[in-house]
């Protein structure tokens, strides 16, 4: 059984078809790439999977359960987390507080417990602190826990955003252009980092990325979109030599 499966999901906006009949299948612990030129429909696909958009037609299945049209927070509770192309952090909060906030999705204490600070709430609060610190250590940011997140270099902000996503305990992590804005050294380090979090957290990863060295270096299978239509899918070697993919990216003479 696939961890995630989409069945011909389609998204239309005022008659314009952004994605047409997209079928994606992701198994446990796979690292999958979703690539294509600008405007190909990649982020729209992410938005349908994560509940930002309800598909015009088609279904999204997670662990064989139909999750089509659920709200983003409901999708996250099921075990699907994501990052965004434009980093979304609480800029004025510390690195640690950014991760602590993300943990509250799984908070068991109620409002009363948090107001009067019951023993159960204090225990859970300590557990969240310890979990957040462990996550920051996993992404190499524990020594910056008290730094304001807006002061971090771009590459470290990306890592913090991933730590926030991991705090929700996902089994599937969606990364939207994680190498965007990174220099070659940071991009190279990112490939190892993605493999590390897959192995350490025992998760599957679906990533949108324009940096072909990162895509070919870390993805095990790749889907290619062009104008919302899947034009190729398969192993990295086959994808980078596919004439349709080359034409989509480079055009033809």
């Amino acid at each position: 059984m696939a961890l995630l499966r989409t069945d011909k999901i389609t998204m239309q906006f005022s008659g314009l078809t952004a994605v047409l009949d997209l079928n994606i299948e992701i198994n446990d612990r796979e690292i999958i790439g979703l690539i294509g030129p600008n405007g190909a429909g990649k982020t729209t696909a992410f938005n349908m999977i994560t509940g930002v958009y309800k598909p015009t037609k088609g279904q999204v299945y997670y662990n064989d359960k139909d999750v089509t049209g659920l709200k983003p927070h409901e999708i996250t509770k099921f075990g699907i987390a994501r990052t965004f192309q434009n980093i979304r952090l609480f800029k004025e909060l510390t690195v640690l507080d950014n991760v602590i906030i993300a943990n509250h999705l799984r908070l068991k204490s109620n409002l009363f417990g948090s107001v009067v600070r019951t023993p159960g709430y204090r225990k859970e609060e300590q557990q969240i602190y310890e979990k957040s610190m462990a996550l920051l250590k996993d992404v190499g940011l524990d020594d910056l826990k008290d730094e304001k997140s807006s002061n971090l270099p771009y590459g470290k902000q990306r890592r913090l955003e991933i730590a926030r996503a991991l705090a929700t305990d996902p089994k599937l992590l969606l990364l939207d252009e994680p190498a965007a804005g990174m220099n070659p050294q940071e991009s190279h380090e990112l490939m190892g980092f993605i493999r590390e979090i897959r192995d350490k957290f025992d998760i599957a990863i679906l990533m949108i990325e324009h940096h072909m060295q990162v895509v070919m270096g870390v993805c095990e299978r790749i889907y290619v979109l062009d104008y919302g239509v899947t034009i190729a899918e398969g192993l990295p070697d086959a994808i980078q030599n596919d004439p349709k993919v080359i034409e989509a990216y480079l055009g033809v003479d």
Side-chain angles (χ1 to χ4, degrees), residues 223-236:
Y223 292 84
V224 188
L225 292 181
D226 190 27
Y227 294 107
V229 176
T230 305
I231 61 170
E233 58 180 273
L235 302 177

Side-chain angles (χ1 to χ4, degrees), residues 11 13 43-55 60 67-76 82-84 88 174 176:
M11 193 71 225
F13 300 100
T43 297
T44 299
F46 264 33
N47 286 339
M48 286 190 285
I49 291 169
T50 58
V52 177
Y53 299 150
K54 181 178 180 180
V60 179
V67 297
T68 313
L70 293 182
K71 301 297 184 185
H73 71 276
E74 295 172 324
I75 296 286
T76 304
R82 71 173 292 181
T83 65
F84 293 85
R88 299 185 182 184
L174 279 62
D176 195 345

Side-chain angles (χ1 to χ4, degrees), residues 2-6 24-32 46 49-50 60-63 67 75-83 106 165-166 168-175 197-198 201-207:
L3 179 65
L4 179 90
R5 177 172 60 87
T6 68
I24 288 179
E25 189 169 298
I26 303 170
N27 299 309
D28 289 335
R29 293 176 52 82
E30 280 193 306
I31 302 177
I32 305 297
F46 264 33
I49 291 169
T50 58
V60 179
Y61 297 96
Y62 178 74
N63 274 332
V67 297
I75 296 286
T76 304
K77 282 187 175 182
F78 268 109
I80 302 175
R82 71 173 292 181
T83 65
R106 305 292 181 187
L166 291 171
T168 66
D169 298 328
K171 294 304 292 182
L172 173 61
L173 176 61
L174 279 62
L175 302 177
I197 61 174
R198 185 271 303 273
F201 294 93
D202 196 30
I203 58 176
I205 296 173
L206 174 64
M207 59 184 288

